[in-house]
Each structure stands twice: as C-alpha cells, then as structure tokens.
Amino acid sequence: MEEEKKVKVLISKEELESRITELAKQIYEEYKGQEVTFICILKGSIFFTVELAKKIPSDINFEFIRVSSYHGENSTGVIKMKVDLQGDIKGKDVIIIEDIVDTGRTLSYLKEYLKSKEPKSLKICALLDKKERRLCDMQADYVGFDIPDKFVVGYGLDVNEKYRNLPYIGYFENV
Ligand code: IMP
C-alpha cells in the first residue's frame, strides 16, 4: 500500500490490542457476564467492534447503524441516517461502539435516537476521543485513548474511504 508510507503512527497495533483487552475486561465485569447489544456505527467502528467483542466471553448481539456527516476531512454538521437498526433494542443493555468522538454531534444525535427505542440501558464506548474539538456536551462512558486534534486514519477510520485497513492509528504529518 503506497500511501502507507506517508502516514505516521500515533497508536501502534500493540497499544490498540492491549487497551482493547482492558476495555473488554471492564465491560465484561460491569455487565456481570450478561448479554449486551453492541451497536456498531458503520463503517469506521467495524475493526474496533470485532476486536472488542472477540475479547468478551459472554453473549453479544450485534446491530449496525450507518450515519454520515463527513465529506473528506470536514464535518458538514448535518447527520443523515443511511442504515438503520434491524432488530428491537427495547429492554436491552445496549452499548454504542464508535470509532472516534470529535465534535460529538454524531453521538448526541444517535443517543437521542436510540433512547427513543427504550433500551434498558444505553452506554457509549469510543476507541478515540478528541476532546479539544467538542462542540456539544458529549462524554463516552468508555474511552480507549484521548488523542490530540489531528485527523487520524486506520483501524477503520478513513479519508474518502481510504486507509481503513491500516492495523494502527496514524496521522498525516502536515495535516
Ligand atoms: P463527530 O460527529 O464530529 O463527533 O464525528 C464523528 C465521526 O466523524 C466519526 O465517527 C468519524 O467517522 C468521523 N471522524 C471524526 N474525526 C475523524 C478523524 O480524525 N478521522 C477519520 N474520521 C473522523
């Protein structure tokens, strides 16, 4: 992959593996081994969702939602639902699995939307958190890494659909 050379490593494969193991243990213990529904926010959260779920030895249900607000590296601020839930989450313990919290708009929208479906509980687990960029009051319940205000790619995150399959989180030096 030629583009890979231009990307600097921010969080290595090993660091991701070790932090995701910790998050999985925390979630498993807090839910006391009870069944949990993961709502994977496509497409960026696929790698994180899969790796996290594989490390939790209790039942996980999977749901998928796809919203869009980004064009290239810029948020348009307008959230559109592209793929909606297929199953019923009423009365279930639900965790939204998100790749990154940036302005917080996507999760604010999703939290309100999912609350209206009456889950028993609703939490947010984000792999990355760019707190400096926050434009609304949004705090994830579980956070993998706090990161600086850099546009990042890899481990599911993209720029115009590229770089998702890098096994680490990287950034562009001059961006
Ligand atoms: P928010 O609504 O501004 O919090 O943005 C959340 C969504 O924006 C994430 O799910 C990502 O899809 C995208 N996003 C935000 N920051 C980055 C980044 O640094 N790299 C790639 N995608 C990003």
Side-chain angles (χ1 to χ4, degrees), residues 41 44 69-70 75 79 98-107 130 133 147 150-153 157-158:
I41 311 305
S69 67
Y70 266 67
S75 170
I79 318 278
E98 179 62 306
D99 49 6
I100 186 165
V101 197
D102 186 29
T103 63
R105 284 180 184 136
T106 305
L107 282 171
K130 272 199 255 184
R133 296 250 314 156
I147 63 163
K150 288 181 186 297
F151 194 85
V152 289
V153 292
L157 290 149
D158 73 311

Side-chain angles (χ1 to χ4, degrees), residues 9-166:
V9 177
L10 182 68
I11 304 169
S12 70
K13 218 169 130 172
E14 293 73 23
E15 288 170 307
L16 286 165
E17 159 84 24
S18 140
R19 183 68 186 121
I20 293 172
T21 303
E22 287 174 1
L23 286 174
K25 188 165 180 279
Q26 192 184 346
I27 290 171
Y28 178 64
E29 285 172 1
E30 286 185 19
Y31 287 83
K32 301 184 169 60
Q34 296 296 303
E35 184 179 285
V36 179
T37 299
F38 275 8
I39 301 187
C40 170
I41 311 305
L42 296 170
K43 297 176 186 175
S45 307
I46 44 176
F47 288 63
F48 179 39
T49 302
V50 168
E51 291 308 315
L52 184 66
K54 281 198 292 184
K55 292 174 187 293
I56 297 178
S58 48
D59 288 336
I60 310 274
N61 281 324
F62 295 92
E63 286 290 336
F64 300 88
I65 278 185
R66 185 169 175 210
V67 291
S68 74
S69 67
Y70 266 67
H71 287 295
E73 292 176 7
N74 301 306
S75 170
T76 61
V78 181
I79 318 278
K80 286 187 189 149
M81 181 72 75
K82 300 271 180 179
V83 175
D84 204 347
L85 290 178
Q86 298 295 304
D88 188 4
I89 60 164
K90 189 170 179 173
K92 296 194 172 160
D93 285 313
V94 173
I95 307 181
I96 304 173
I97 311 292
E98 179 62 306
D99 49 6
I100 186 165
V101 197
D102 186 29
T103 63
R105 284 180 184 136
T106 305
L107 282 171
S108 297
Y109 168 85
L110 284 175
K111 207 172 170 186
E112 284 316 301
Y113 174 70
L114 292 169
K115 264 204 247 168
S116 74
K117 306 280 177 192
E118 300 177 42
K120 180 174 158 203
S121 67
L122 181 63
K123 288 198 174 186
I124 295 171
C125 177
L127 179 61
L128 307 174
D129 193 348
K130 272 199 255 184
K131 291 202 170 67
E132 285 171 54
R133 296 250 314 156
R134 205 69 98 251
L135 293 177
C136 46
D137 184 21
M138 170 51 58
Q139 180 56 53
D141 301 280
Y142 307 97
V143 173
F145 300 87
D146 283 311
I147 63 163
D149 181 9
K150 288 181 186 297
F151 194 85
V152 289
V153 292
Y155 213 75
L157 290 149
D158 73 311
V159 190
N160 294 326
E161 298 300 326
K162 284 174 78 176
Y163 305 101
R164 284 195 201 278
N165 57 320
L166 293 179

